[in-house]
């Protein structure tokens, strides 16, 4: 039975948490708790000390049980605990290490994650969780699978777009087979999962969107732009990784400047491409109009949405196959009334319809991106119409309360039924 403080908790298992890129999980946890579902969080690692978390995320972090790093006596205690469940421990270890792995290094990591699962099970032994709920089909799923077997409870899985799905899936079939319920956030993900594991097993995966607390994402009464002394702002938010396509955005900005457009561009985010992007900006002599700010707390990101005239996120498919789902910043921008330009990729098409509630361009096409952004800067009425349609789309499809109700109905229908009866 799920829900209520007197009942056993659902324990969310995740790798590193909280971080600036997992606000969608923060929202889900908050919404589940508002529905009376007891939710605890176990993270394998803490966020970096310098990560700019919001006040809400810092508060959430104080409630997280961190499994790593492990004190030596914790390892001893976890080992003794495993001995009390020796049969389940040996069977689970044998099951995992005898599955097909892409290479020896992956098999070694599975062994490591097995050990982490034993530690997590030991930490949870007195809480008697009703279920472990893993976010991402990465090591968190292995840890949750192992811990659930040692604790004799079920585990469920939420799969999001990531390298663990599109590039280096390890034990994906096993993670899905062993899970009680599997959900993913886009139809494109579900299609990709079915292609990996087969249609029959893929049918186990349900598609449920993320959501926004729409009351917290309200467009400003007046969009900046009337002040002729301030150039319009082109805003981009995301990890500074190849799949986000920010190098193409910088190329597009160079084209816009050369065509006489007056604007500024702010890229909010952190990641391995930062030095490359800053060097590209300097080489193109765009320092006066394009800036990379680093990651910011969510409250500051929302404040920048209010100032933006255009939101651009030109995602691409990388050579090794990495690709975004629906980046959460796109519906955030739409909810804030900002007209969006993004890439014509399968998951993004599930949210944005070209020329209806946003503009979509071919991935990696800097000329098309510059033309789309320039059009929105030059045609304020058209931009406002797209922004209004985008706002309606997000309210129709991305309400966190509606989507979490769907999640609860799928994962814990007994709680949903009792809530409706009440």
């Amino acid at each position: 039975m799920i829900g209520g403080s007197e009942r056993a908790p659902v324990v969310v298992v995740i790798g590193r948490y909280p971080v600036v890129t997992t606000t969608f999980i923060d929202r889900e946890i908050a919404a589940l708790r508002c529905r009376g579902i007891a939710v605890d969080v176990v993270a394998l690692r803490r966020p970096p000390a310098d990560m700019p978390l919001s006040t809400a995320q810092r508060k959430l972090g104080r409630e997280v049980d961190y499994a790593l790093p492990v004190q030596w006596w914790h390892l001893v205690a976890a080992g003794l605990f495993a001995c009390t469940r020796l049969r389940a421990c040996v069977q689970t270890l044998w099951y995992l290490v005898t599955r097909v792995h892409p290479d020896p290094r992956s098999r070694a990591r599975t062994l490591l994650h097995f050990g982490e699962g034993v530690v997590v099970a030991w930490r949870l032994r007195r809480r008697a969780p009703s279920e472990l709920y893993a976010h991402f089909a990465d090591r968190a799923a292995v840890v949750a699978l192992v811990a659930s077997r040692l604790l004799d409870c079920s585990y469920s899985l939420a799969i999001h777009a990531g390298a663990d799905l599109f590039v280096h899936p390890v034990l994906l079939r096993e993670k899905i087979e062993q899970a009680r319920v599997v959900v993913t956030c886009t139809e494109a993900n579900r299609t990709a999962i079915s292609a990996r594991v087969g249609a029959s097993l893929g049918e186990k995966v349900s598609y449920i969107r993320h959501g926004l607390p729409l009351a917290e994402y309200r467009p400003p009464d007046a969009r900046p732009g009337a002040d002729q002394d301030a150039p319009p702002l082109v805003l981009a938010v995301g990890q500074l990784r190849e799949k986000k396509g920010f190098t193409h955005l910088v190329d597009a900005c160079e084209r816009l400047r050369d065509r006489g457009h007056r604007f500024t561009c702010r890229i909010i985010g952190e990641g391995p491409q930062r030095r490359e992007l800053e060097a590209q900006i300097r080489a193109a002599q765009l320092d006066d109009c394009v800036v990379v700010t680093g990651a910011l707390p969510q409250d500051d990101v929302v404040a920048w949405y209010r100032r933006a005239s255009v939101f651009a996120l030109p995602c691409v498919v990388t050579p090794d196959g990495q690709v975004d789902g629906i980046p959460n910043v796109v519906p955030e921008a739409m909810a804030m009334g900002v007209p969006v330009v993004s890439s014509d990729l399968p998951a993004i098409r599930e949210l944005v319809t070209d020329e209806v509630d946003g503009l979509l361009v071919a991935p990696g096409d800097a000329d098309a991106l510059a033309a789309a952004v320039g059009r929105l800067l030059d045609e304020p009425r058209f931009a406002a119409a797209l922004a209004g349609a985008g706002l309606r789309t997000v309210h129709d499809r991305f309400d966190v309360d509606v989507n979490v109700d769907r999640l609860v109905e799928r994962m814990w229908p007994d709680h949903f039924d009792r809530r409706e009866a009440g």
Side-chain angles (χ1 to χ4, degrees):
M1 301 292 285
I2 305 296
S5 59
E6 77 282 2
R7 297 182 176 91
V10 172
V11 176
V12 170
V13 180
I14 189 168
R16 192 182 296 272
Y17 186 78
V19 294
V20 294
T21 57
T22 55
T23 53
F24 64 97
I25 299 176
D26 307 346
R27 296 161 188 154
E28 181 184 284
I29 290 171
L32 290 173
R33 288 172 172 169
C34 284
R35 283 152 180 75
I37 297 176
V39 180
D40 292 345
V41 182
V42 172
L44 301 181
R45 291 197 177 275
R46 297 177 183 273
D50 59 351
M51 180 164 285
L53 301 177
S54 67
T55 301
Q57 285 186 309
R58 292 189 183 281
K59 180 180 177 182
L60 180 60
R62 291 193 289 271
E63 303 170 359
V64 174
D65 183 2
Y66 291 101
L68 300 176
V70 184
Q71 303 289 337
W72 69 267
W73 65 270
H74 286 178
L75 285 174
V76 172
L80 293 173
F81 168 77
C83 289
T84 67
R85 289 152 175 80
L86 190 57
R87 184 174 181 178
C89 196
V90 171
Q91 287 178 340
T92 303
L93 178 60
W94 180 255
Y95 172 78
L96 290 173
V97 298
T98 57
R99 303 302 100 180
V100 175
H101 286 72
D103 51 57
R105 186 177 179 183
S106 298
R107 199 180 301 274
R109 282 198 297 263
T110 295
L111 282 170
L112 175 64
H113 301 158
F114 171 83
E116 292 169 347
V118 172
V119 171
V120 167
W122 170 73
R123 296 182 75 94
L124 295 174
R125 67 198 183 283
R126 293 196 181 102
R127 273 183 257 183
S130 59
E131 179 161 71
L132 304 187
Y133 173 31
H135 269 285
F136 294 97
D138 55 10
R139 67 176 179 172
V142 177
V143 169
L145 188 160
V146 171
S148 69
R149 287 194 172 194
L150 270 61
L151 295 170
D152 195 25
C153 67
S154 61
Y155 110 93
S156 288
L157 173 62
I159 301 176
H160 311 291
D164 49 292
L165 173 58
F166 292 108
V167 183
H168 303 298
V170 178
L171 302 179
L172 184 62
R173 169 177 289 277
E174 289 77 7
K175 292 168 183 175
I176 294 172
E177 284 178 340
Q178 297 298 311
R180 183 182 64 85
V181 175
V182 183
V183 297
T184 192
C185 48
T186 71
E187 185 63 43
N189 281 3
R190 186 162 66 175
T191 300
I193 292 166
S194 292
R196 292 278 187 182
V197 303
S200 59
L201 187 56
E203 290 178 357
K204 184 176 182 177
V205 182
S206 299
Y207 159 39
I208 300 174
R209 297 184 183 97
H210 297 153
L212 297 176
L214 294 172
E216 300 175 16
Y217 289 82
R218 294 181 178 274
D221 293 333
R223 178 67 52 191
D227 182 0
Q228 297 303 310
D229 292 332
L233 170 64
V234 178
L235 180 66
V237 183
Q239 295 182 70
L240 306 185
R241 295 182 178 277
E242 185 180 5
K243 69 177 182 177
K244 298 296 183 180
F246 290 135
T247 58
H248 305 295
L249 177 59
V250 175
D251 284 342
C253 288
E254 184 176 7
R255 288 162 170 77
L256 287 168
R257 181 203 58 191
D258 293 346
R259 295 169 190 171
H261 283 90
R262 183 169 171 264
F263 68 96
T264 60
C265 177
R266 180 172 292 264
I267 302 172
I268 298 174
E270 191 56 81
Q273 268 200 324
R274 180 162 186 170
R275 289 187 178 179
E276 177 186 347
L277 288 168
E278 290 173 338
Q280 183 185 4
I281 290 166
R282 288 193 300 272
Q285 298 181 336
L286 291 168
D287 309 70
D288 60 336
C289 62
V290 181
V291 61
V292 178
T293 67
L296 295 176
Q298 186 66 14
D299 293 344
D300 291 354
V301 174
V302 171
W304 280 107
Y305 288 137
R306 294 192 180 98
R307 305 181 197 182
S309 298
V310 176
F311 181 84
L313 191 65
C315 302
V316 298
V317 182
T318 67
D320 64 357
Q322 290 195 49
V323 62
D324 251 321
I326 298 176
N328 287 282
V329 292
V330 176
E332 286 176 5
M334 294 167 75
M336 293 296 296
V338 189
V340 301
V341 179
S342 195
S343 295
D344 191 8
L345 292 170
I348 294 174
R349 285 198 299 270
E350 294 176 30
L351 176 64
V352 180
T353 302
D354 188 35
E355 300 274 351
V356 175
D357 47 20
L359 294 179
L360 298 178
V361 300
D365 190 336
D367 280 325
L369 179 61
V373 172
R375 183 180 178 189
L376 294 178
L377 295 176
D378 291 340
E379 302 179 30
R381 289 187 179 179
F382 176 64
L386 287 186
L391 183 62
R392 291 189 292 273
T393 295
V394 168
H395 277 256
D396 287 344
R397 303 181 193 174
F398 248 76
D399 186 320
V400 69
D401 290 320
V402 172
N403 292 343
V404 168
D405 274 346
R406 291 172 179 157
L407 178 70
V408 173
E409 187 175 14
R410 175 68 184 92
M411 296 189 72
W412 306 294
D414 62 319
H415 176 81
F416 190 87
D417 291 343
R418 283 185 282 107
R419 180 172 175 241
E420 290 296 305

